[in-house]
Amino acid sequence: MSSPLSPPSASASPGDSSPGGSAAALGRGTTRLAVLAGLAAVLAGFGLAELVAGLIAPGARPVLVVGALLIDLAPAWVKELVISLFGTGDKAALVVFIAVVAAVLAGLAGILEYRRPPFGRYVIVAAGLVALVAALTRAGASPFDAVPPVLAMVVAALVLSMLTRRLHASRAPAEAAAAASVDPGRTASVTPAAASRAAVDRRRFLAYTGVSAGAGVLAALGGQLLTAGSRAADAARTLFTLPTPATPGVPVAAGASFDIDGLSPIITPNAEFYRIDTALSVPRIDPSTWTLKISGLVENEVEIDFAELLALPLEESTTTLACVSNYVGGDLIGNAVWLGYPIRELLARAKPLADADMVLSRSEDGWTASTPLEALTDDRNSILAVGMNGDPLPLEHGYPVRMVVPGLYGYVSATKWVTELVVTRFDEETAYWTTRGWSEKGPVKLSSRIDVPRGDAEAGTVTVAGVAWSQHVGVSAVEVRVDDGDWNAATLADAISADTWRQWRWDWPATSGSHTLTVRATDANGEVQTSKTADVVPDGATGLHSISLSVS
C-alpha cells in the first residue's frame, strides 16, 4: 500500500494519465528524439567523410581505418576467438561491431547534448580523434587522410548541436506544462502562440533530422561509387590475360582424386579458398604502378615492375596453403594451382649477405611476414604468384602479386599484395604476428581431417574419407580408428607432390550403435601425427581429428 506522502510519479505506469505518468512519458519521448538526433548527426558526418574519402583519400574511410586499428591492437586471443566464432566472416563481424558501437555512441551523444551540452559534442570529438589517429598511423598515410575523419567530427558535432537546439525549442511548452502538473505550486504559461511555434519547431526538428540522415546515407553511397569508379585494379584484372607458363605444372592425374560426395576437392575453387588477413578493405593496386623492391642485407638492390615480372619465365605449380589459426579438423586450408616466378631467382640477383637468415616481406597495406631465407632459396617452389587456378589472382587473394611458400603457415610466408622484400635477420627484425606472441618460424604441422560421413549412417559399408597434409614433406599413410579399436589403413589417392594435401578413403563395416571415428597420418619421413592436443598459438594446432555419429 502506498504512502499518502508518495509523489504521484511513484505509482504511475507508462500509460498512466496522472501528472507523474505524463512527465515520465514525456521524458521517454524526448530521450528517443535525442537518440534520433545523435544518429542523424553521426550519419551526416560519416556520409560526408565517405564522400570526401572517395574523392581524395580512398584508404581513409572511417570504418576501414578504425577497423584496421582495432585489428592491430587486438591481442592474439581476441583474434583467435573472432576467427573461431566467425571464420572467414571475421571482417564482416568487425564491421557490424563497429557500426553497433558507433550507433550506441551516437545515441549517447544525442542524449548528453540535449541534457548537458556540450558533452554530446565531446563524445563526437573523442570518437573523431580515434578515427583521426587510426587514419594517420596506418601504413602509407598522407596528410590528405586526415581530412575525412576531421570533416566527420566537425559536421557531426555541428549537426548534433543544431538538432538538439531544435528539439529543445519543440519540447519547451510540453516540458513546462509537465513541470507545472508535477509541481502544483508552479504555473505553466503556455500560450496558444507558443504552442503553435513549438509545433512548427517540432516539424522542423523532424524534417532536419530526416534530411541530415538522408544526406549522410546518400553521401556515403556516393563515396562508395566514387571509390568503385576509381579502382583501376578491377578494370586491369578484368582485361588481364595470364601468360603461358614456361614450365607447366604437373597435371592433376585422375588417381589424385576420389569421386566421393562431401570430400574436399583436390583443387580448391578460388571462390571457396579460405581468406584470413588483416585487410578490412581489399587493397586495390593498379598493376601499372606496382613494383617489388628487394633490399637490406644484399650486395645488389633489385626492383622490378609488373611488366618485367610477367616477361620472366613463369612456372606453374600446385601448393597447399594453410592458416596457423586452423584448428584440428578445421577448413582454413586449401590447395590451388599457382602461376609465378621463383623467389630464389630474384634473390640470386640480389645476392644476400652471409649473415642474413630472414626475409621480411611487406604488403601494400603495411602488413609484414618474416620468412626464413632458406625457405625462399632452397629447392621448394616458393614463388611470386600472379595466377591462381588458371585465372589472374583474385583481388582478395593478393592481386596483382602475392607470395606462395610451400611448407610454412601463411602468417610467416603468404604475403598478399606484396611490394617489398627486405633481406635481414631474425634477431634484428620482427613481423606483424611475431610481435603479437606467435613464433618466428611457422612450419606446417602434419595433420589430417575427416570430411565424410557427415551425420549419422546406416549399418553396412560406410565410406570414411578426408584429406591429410604435411607440406614439403608429403604424406605416406593414413589410418582410421573406430572407438578405441585398432588402427585401420586407409587408401591414399595419388600424390600431386610433397607440397600438396592427399585425399584418403576407408570403407568401414559399420555396426549399429554410437561410434567415434579418429584419423591420423604418417609423413614421408615416418613421423606419425601426434595425439597431443595443442592450441593454435603460438605455432599451430596439434591433435587427432575425431567425429561422433550414430549408426542405425
Side-chain angles (χ1 to χ4, degrees):
M1 183 174 180
S2 62
S3 167
L5 300 178
S6 299
S9 60
S11 59
S13 66
D16 200 337
S17 59
S18 66
S22 299
L26 178 63
R28 289 191 295 272
T30 302
T31 298
R32 287 193 290 267
L33 292 175
V35 169
L36 188 63
L39 291 171
V42 168
L43 270 175
F46 168 77
L48 182 60
E50 286 283 306
L51 181 62
V52 172
L55 288 169
I56 64 171
R61 294 162 57 195
V63 171
L64 299 184
V65 295
V66 171
L69 181 64
L70 292 177
I71 291 172
D72 288 346
L73 295 178
W77 68 268
V78 171
K79 169 184 174 290
E80 289 309 316
L81 176 62
V82 171
I83 292 177
S84 66
L85 291 174
F86 301 104
T88 55
D90 56 342
K91 295 169 183 62
L94 178 58
V95 171
V96 171
F97 171 76
I98 293 172
V100 170
V101 171
V104 171
L105 290 177
L108 176 63
I111 295 170
L112 288 176
E113 187 65 20
Y114 181 81
R115 294 180 178 175
R116 299 190 63 186
F119 284 98
R121 279 168 282 171
Y122 291 166
V123 172
I124 296 291
V125 170
L129 290 175
V130 171
L132 179 61
V133 170
L136 293 179
T137 54
R138 69 184 186 87
S142 74
F144 288 109
D145 293 335
V147 177
V150 169
L151 276 178
M153 177 171 51
V154 172
V155 170
L158 291 175
V159 172
L160 179 64
S161 179
M162 180 270 292
L163 290 178
T164 51
R165 286 199 306 271
R166 291 287 178 187
L167 180 58
H168 270 297
S170 71
R171 307 297 284 177
E175 289 170 352
S181 68
V182 174
D183 184 358
R186 186 171 179 178
T187 302
S189 56
V190 182
T191 65
S196 177
R197 286 196 302 272
V200 172
D201 286 331
R202 183 161 52 251
R203 288 194 292 270
R204 285 178 177 170
F205 165 77
L206 294 173
Y208 289 161
T209 300
V211 168
S212 299
V217 171
L218 290 175
L221 292 175
Q224 290 289 325
L225 291 174
L226 284 172
T227 304
S230 64
R231 289 172 179 170
D234 300 58
R237 183 184 179 278
T238 301
L239 298 174
F240 177 50
T241 301
L242 285 176
T244 301
T247 306
V250 177
V252 179
S257 180
F258 294 126
D259 184 14
I260 299 174
D261 287 343
L263 176 61
S264 300
I266 190 63
I267 301 297
T268 309
N270 291 355
E272 298 175 15
F273 208 96
Y274 78 94
R275 178 200 165 197
I276 297 292
D277 52 55
T278 63
L280 194 58
S281 176
V282 174
R284 280 171 159 79
I285 305 171
D286 184 347
S288 66
T289 66
W290 177 87
T291 61
L292 176 76
K293 182 179 181 180
I294 302 176
S295 61
L297 300 178
V298 295
E299 293 183 15
N300 308 309
E301 288 195 355
V302 174
E303 186 168 352
I304 63 170
D305 61 25
F306 194 56
E308 290 172 320
L309 178 62
L310 295 181
L312 296 172
L314 304 183
E315 300 181 2
E316 198 174 52
S317 56
T318 305
T319 299
T320 297
L321 298 184
C323 180
V324 71
S325 298
N326 198 37
Y327 286 88
V328 173
D331 59 0
L332 299 181
I333 183 170
N335 188 45
V337 180
W338 308 92
L339 177 66
Y341 187 69
I343 298 174
R344 64 178 178 274
E345 300 294 346
L346 292 178
L347 288 174
R349 289 193 205 176
K351 297 183 179 179
L353 301 182
D355 59 340
D357 63 3
M358 186 261 275
V359 173
L360 188 76
S361 54
R362 182 169 284 108
S363 171
E364 168 72 11
D365 64 350
W367 187 85
T368 54
S370 51
T371 309
L373 179 61
E374 180 184 7
L376 301 179
T377 55
D378 63 15
D379 62 352
R380 77 184 75 194
N381 205 29
S382 299
I383 61 173
L384 292 172
V386 298
M388 181 179 182
N389 290 334
D391 292 323
L393 283 176
L395 293 170
E396 64 273 18
H397 287 293
Y399 180 84
V401 183
R402 68 167 294 164
M403 291 174 60
V404 173
V405 181
L408 299 181
Y409 285 119
Y411 82 102
V412 295
S413 68
T415 304
K416 303 171 186 174
W417 315 289
V418 62
T419 59
E420 187 177 9
L421 301 178
V422 180
V423 180
T424 181
R425 293 183 53 82
F426 279 107
D427 58 9
E428 293 181 359
E429 297 281 358
T430 54
Y432 185 92
W433 285 117
T434 53
T435 61
R436 290 163 171 78
W438 297 79
S439 62
E440 289 183 336
K441 303 175 182 179
V444 175
K445 304 289 182 64
L446 168 64
S447 194
S448 54
R449 184 181 75 199
I450 300 173
D451 287 345
V452 292
R454 298 179 179 180
D456 296 337
E458 295 182 359
T461 301
V462 175
T463 298
V464 184
V467 287
W469 58 89
S470 181
Q471 284 98 314
H472 204 55
V473 177
V475 171
S476 63
V478 171
E479 299 169 290
V480 183
R481 182 177 64 193
V482 181
D483 301 323
D484 294 321
D486 296 331
W487 289 100
N488 302 275
T491 301
L492 287 172
D494 294 339
I496 300 174
S497 74
D499 294 329
T500 64
W501 62 11
R502 294 183 74 174
Q503 293 181 347
W504 58 266
R505 66 173 295 165
W506 177 61
D507 291 329
W508 170 36
T511 57
S512 299
S514 297
H515 298 286
T516 298
L517 302 177
T518 306
V519 63
R520 72 178 183 185
T522 302
D523 71 14
N525 295 329
E527 178 184 350
V528 178
Q529 183 179 343
T530 180
S531 61
K532 182 179 179 180
T533 300
D535 194 13
V536 296
V537 181
D539 58 2
T542 62
L544 303 181
H545 185 218
S546 297
I547 64 169
S548 296
L549 72 164
S550 177
V551 178
S552 59

